[in-house]
Amino acid sequence: MSTLVTSRREGALLYVALDRPEKRNAIHRELLLALVDAIAAAEREPDVRAVVVYGEGPVFSAGVDFGMLTGDLAGERALPFRTLIGDMQAALSRLEALEKPVVGALHRYVPGLALELALAFDLRVATADAELGLPEVRVGLVPDVGGTTRLVRTVGYAKAKELILTGRMIGAAEALAIGLVNQVVPPGEHVTAAARLAVGLAKRLVDLGSNVDKHTFLAMELLAQSVLLRSEDAREGARALAERRPPRFTGR
């Protein structure tokens, strides 16, 4: 495991942390790739039902590590810009394609690349004192790691356009109102609040179905349901319902 990222298991949850607090969890290519590798490990663990991603230290992340763009990371030479950004785009696309739900626990500060990362999560919980935004235009840049695409999909064309063109940071209450985050909680409670289980197959259905016609989506639902009905969990669910008790799912 990279020292840039740490992870731990607690029951059915995998907790993955950006662990660079001395740099306010500023994100460079190596950190992002390590983070996605750690999250993707959940796919190989049948008992893991969901992943919670959070940041160690005073903020979720300060955004991009500008040293990445100049090669000023441990004296390493900078990668060609297209290669650098292409690797990071591919990493977030890989994260987004995971079948197990990923929930972001966001606190205090989530600008630029940090928000682009968060937009690749399935759900986002933010502390009441959090600030979020894509301020790249203020330094002559644009969001280039999927931020424009995912922001439009999340909050709609008009609001995304406003936030991107102004570079404005917004508070948690406004982020909740426009659908950028799913829940706002008091400071310090974001990781606990984010630890909610979700169903990976249902998540995948929504992701795939948003881009297909109604008849294809219905066929996908039918196929998924036929698979689930053959599972041990489906049988356990039926028994639990008949016996009026909580189900004891095993992920099989």
Side-chain angles (χ1 to χ4, degrees), residues 159-245:
K159 182 57 69 172
K161 195 173 187 179
E162 175 201 331
L163 294 177
I164 291 167
L165 294 182
T166 64
R168 183 168 67 92
M169 299 291 291
I170 64 174
E174 183 176 353
L176 179 64
I178 66 174
L180 183 56
V181 300
N182 304 91
Q183 185 179 2
V184 174
V185 298
E189 297 183 12
H190 54 297
V191 176
T192 300
R196 300 172 184 269
L197 301 184
V199 180
L201 186 56
K203 172 247 177 165
R204 191 63 176 142
L205 274 174
V206 172
D207 285 350
L208 293 173
S210 62
N211 296 312
V212 301
D213 62 86
K214 181 181 72 174
H215 297 292
T216 303
F217 201 359
L218 289 171
M220 289 164 53
E221 288 181 347
L222 182 60
L223 176 61
Q225 193 74 302
S226 67
V227 172
L228 289 172
L229 285 172
R230 299 171 65 89
S231 69
E232 292 181 18
D233 275 357
R235 290 190 288 273
E236 165 60 13
R239 286 193 298 268
L241 184 64
E243 297 168 10
R244 298 185 178 182
R245 60 172 175 80

Side-chain angles (χ1 to χ4, degrees), residues 2 11 67 69 135 151 184 198 207 240:
S2 167
L69 305 180
L151 188 64
V184 174
D207 285 350

Side-chain angles (χ1 to χ4, degrees), residues 108-130:
R108 194 63 193 92
Y109 199 46
V110 193
L113 184 53
L115 182 55
E116 291 187 286
L117 168 62
L119 284 166
F121 301 152
D122 298 294
L123 299 171
R124 289 162 292 280
V125 174
T127 56
D129 60 352

Side-chain angles (χ1 to χ4, degrees), residues 19-155:
D19 195 7
R20 202 186 179 207
E22 73 284 357
K23 296 291 186 180
R24 292 166 60 86
N25 295 324
I27 301 170
H28 50 58
R29 173 182 174 274
E30 288 70 23
L31 186 151
L32 187 61
L33 296 184
L35 181 70
V36 173
D37 281 346
I39 295 170
E43 294 284 60
R44 301 188 294 273
E45 297 289 339
D47 294 333
V48 171
R49 296 297 184 89
V51 183
V52 173
V53 181
Y54 67 100
E56 295 285 5
V59 302
F60 174 71
S61 170
V64 68
D65 186 331
F66 284 97
M68 172 181 67
L69 305 180
T70 63
D72 187 23
L73 294 171
E76 296 181 6
R77 181 180 178 183
L79 288 171
F81 190 73
R82 284 180 181 272
T83 300
L84 183 71
I85 300 304
D87 285 352
M88 297 172 76
Q89 288 177 342
L92 290 191
S93 294
R94 177 187 175 206
L95 188 161
E96 198 172 37
L98 297 180
E99 290 192 355
K100 295 186 180 180
V102 180
V103 183
L106 315 176
H107 72 292
R108 194 63 193 92
Y109 199 46
V110 193
L113 184 53
L115 182 55
E116 291 187 286
L117 168 62
L119 284 166
F121 301 152
D122 298 294
L123 299 171
R124 289 162 292 280
V125 174
T127 56
D129 60 352
E131 295 179 81
L132 310 91
L134 296 173
E136 283 86 346
V137 295
R138 296 183 181 181
V139 293
L141 300 173
V142 296
D144 56 4
V145 189
T148 53
T149 303
R150 294 187 178 95
L151 188 64
V152 169
R153 190 177 63 194
T154 303
V155 305

